[in-house]
Amino acid sequence: MRNHQEQLQVYLSDPDVPIDTNHLERALRVIPMGRKNWLFCWTEVGAQQVGIIQSLLTTCRLQGINPYTYLVDVLMRIDLHPASEVLDLTPRVWKDKFADNPLKSDLAMVRQ
């Protein structure tokens, strides 16, 4: 307990801090479950990119964001968005700033 006193103080002082990380482990479980599929990434760089995408999708789900809506909006917005404000495009910040009025692709406009 002495070795983890600082973390324990955070847990005891904030009721929103969960006692464990089981919800994160469940959300990330899809990654090891698809391990055989990742053999077909062909390169180490490809596997790293799959990991980045999986992490983004999992973060979207944990934030209550539709991953498709998020990815379409970010891919449409990224060309116009200043590089100095790239943090705005992370799922947690994006939810607060852009989720109410996400950009839609031209394909989505045609379907309506």
Side-chain angles (χ1 to χ4, degrees):
M1 185 171 94
R2 289 182 184 153
N3 294 338
H4 300 285
Q5 186 173 358
E6 189 175 326
Q7 293 89 340
L8 185 59
Q9 288 294 332
V10 169
Y11 171 71
L12 293 174
S13 64
D14 187 351
D16 293 332
V17 175
I19 194 167
D20 56 32
T21 58
N22 288 342
H23 66 288
L24 296 174
E25 292 173 21
R26 278 191 304 276
L28 292 170
R29 185 173 179 157
V30 296
I31 296 170
M33 294 301 288
R35 191 166 289 147
K36 287 186 181 179
N37 295 332
W38 315 144
L39 292 174
F40 300 102
C41 290
W42 298 102
T43 66
E44 195 171 317
V45 173
Q48 287 174 344
Q49 300 306 315
V50 167
I52 291 168
I53 294 295
Q54 287 286 352
S55 178
L56 269 176
L57 296 177
T58 300
T59 303
C60 284
R61 288 184 198 108
L62 288 171
Q63 293 292 325
I65 299 169
N66 179 336
Y68 179 80
T69 304
Y70 168 77
L71 288 174
V72 168
D73 180 80
V74 168
L75 291 173
M76 298 285 290
R77 189 179 300 278
I78 200 164
D79 189 38
L80 307 170
H81 201 76
S84 61
E85 298 174 15
V86 72
L87 239 81
D88 291 350
L89 302 180
T90 59
R92 188 179 347 170
V93 179
W94 179 89
K95 181 180 179 180
D96 294 334
K97 289 192 172 194
F98 305 114
D100 292 336
N101 192 20
L103 298 177
K104 296 182 169 120
S105 72
D106 295 338
L107 184 61
M109 302 292 186
V110 171
R111 288 184 186 173
Q112 292 178 354

